[in-house]
Amino acid sequence: MIAKISSGKDTAGLIRYLFDTKKAKDHTDPHLVASWDGFAPDPGRTDDFTATKRLLVADLDLRVKQARRLGRAPERHVWHCSLRTATTDRHLSDEEWADIAHRVVAATGIAPQNDPDGCRWVAVRHAPDHIHIAATKVRGDLSTARHWNDYLTADRELAAIEKDYDLHQVVRGDRTAAKRPTRAEQEKARRAGKERTSRERLRITVRQLVSIATSPEEFVNMLGGVQGVRVDLQHFPSGDVRGYKVAVEGDINAAGEPIWFSGSELAPDLSFPKIAERLTGIEVPPVTESDSQRRPSPWHQATAAAERIPHHLDRSDDTAAQAHIAAVAEALDVLPLIAPGHHLRAQLQQAALAFERASRSRIRASQDQARALRGAIRTLRTAPATGDGTGLAMFLDITILVVIAAARWHQARRNDQQVAATHQTLVHLQAAYEQAADRPLTALAQHKPPAHTVERHAQHIRAVLPHHAEQILDDLAWPALATALTRAETAGHSPRQLLELAARQRSLDDARSTAKTLTWRIQRLGTRPAPSQRARAAQARSAATARATRSAEPHVPGTSHQPSATASHPRHR
């Protein structure tokens, strides 16, 4: 059940709207279901509609007029709350709506239970699925009602009402979401033929700039260079930047002035102080060629950093975990800028927009965390995906596992809106991954090694991953994995030891295609310098110990010897 609460100055105007059946087509049978004393005049159930409506307004305004004579009436004395059930809910009876109205006015402080001085109010039902509560905010002792945080208190009461009446339980937030565009903004964008409102377009632009900037100064410089965006900077007396406002070029109000949005109006984490806090102290590793043996490519660095995030979410404190989730959001904001192809960029943009909601919670992020990922993703702007898209596909593969882990983290803390956002993100990420992975996997499969080499790699799979072996060998991606193993072997690596290392890095049970996930891991591990003979011997001893440990433990299908990202979410490809 959803509540919308507002204040106004005109009691008569609100009552006129609530009982109108001509202009408002859904007002089919307006009538009272409850009131402050149970005896309020009901215009919907009388022959003299006009006179009864006038009488109802006079009764509601009685205390307002008395307080006004004493100079104590609030200017906006009308309190209006609409309550609507979900489309899948049953239709409630008038008696049930009456009980709900009483609970809401009591919870919000409009008319506390057993308080004879509570405000005057009525609940009007004019459609099967919703009611309106109209109240005047002057109490019987002529003081103003104490209804601070009425939206939150109403929302908490509605959550209990949903359970008591077996109604659809709405996903509720924690007031960290970005402000939604108003209906007027949406209509304006529609008339202009724009897909998104100015507020949304500016929020996307600023978030992308934050994700690639390496300092507050660079963010300001880049913001000033964005085509089609006007920028107004505010400064301290010292000359340092205090804040900023942005507007879409040509988006003006009735007076012909730009419609400005401050950073905090775009999103809670986009005020300049918060941006400066995030961008201070970022260390960006130097960019090298992908075939360099001195340092891995930016895609490999970003993938390696992201791969450790599920561990941080399981083991770190909440402030550190929140920082890692925010870093993932920055990574997703970067990808639409550098990905090839319109359709792929569109899917990644939708994923970034969805995950934005999951990147914020009431927990304050510790900004000194997640430096490895935040630094690595900033090198991606100058090092786009490799020619066949291997780097992007590799990064998306692990990002899906990270988002699944983030969903579990939020679910454990009952962050319902964030959990829903991660599920939406996964839909778009999985679609983007399928597009990004198709080309490099096809290219690898075309270079499938000879049959005897493939069989030798299959024996390694059966020995190292006995519980996944048949699934891997039956997968359409198995030829690509066999090619990746062969190339790593040619570079001096032991395929069996690489498989051991790849299997130990993270659980494979969350992967919808274990073969694909292993392919990207082997690709990345194979670019590292081949170990020496002594290092190989040490790896072999470590692998033998790990195998002995696994063989001594019973394996339950669908479980892993390492922490799984989630047990309830669909597995990714």
Side-chain angles (χ1 to χ4, degrees), residues 163-185:
K163 295 179 180 178
D164 293 344
Y165 282 90
D166 195 24
L167 302 175
H168 171 71
Q169 295 185 23
V170 175
V171 175
R172 289 180 158 79
D174 53 8
R175 304 189 78 182
T176 62
K179 183 178 179 181
R180 294 182 180 180
T182 65
R183 184 172 180 177
E185 290 173 342

Side-chain angles (χ1 to χ4, degrees), residues 491-557:
H493 292 276
S494 164
R496 184 161 178 159
Q497 290 179 357
L498 278 186
L499 284 170
E500 289 275 4
L501 181 57
R504 289 200 305 269
Q505 283 183 334
R506 282 302 297 171
S507 165
L508 292 169
D509 288 331
D510 292 314
R512 292 172 70 180
S513 172
T514 308
K516 290 181 182 178
T517 296
L518 282 173
T519 299
W520 309 127
R521 293 183 186 180
I522 296 299
Q523 285 260 88
R524 181 163 58 86
L525 294 172
T527 61
R528 299 177 180 178
S532 64
Q533 286 294 113
R534 180 177 296 180
R536 285 189 184 183
Q539 289 177 355
R541 289 193 297 271
S542 175
T545 301
R547 285 196 300 271
T549 301
R550 287 200 301 270
S551 63
E553 299 176 358
H555 180 79
V556 179

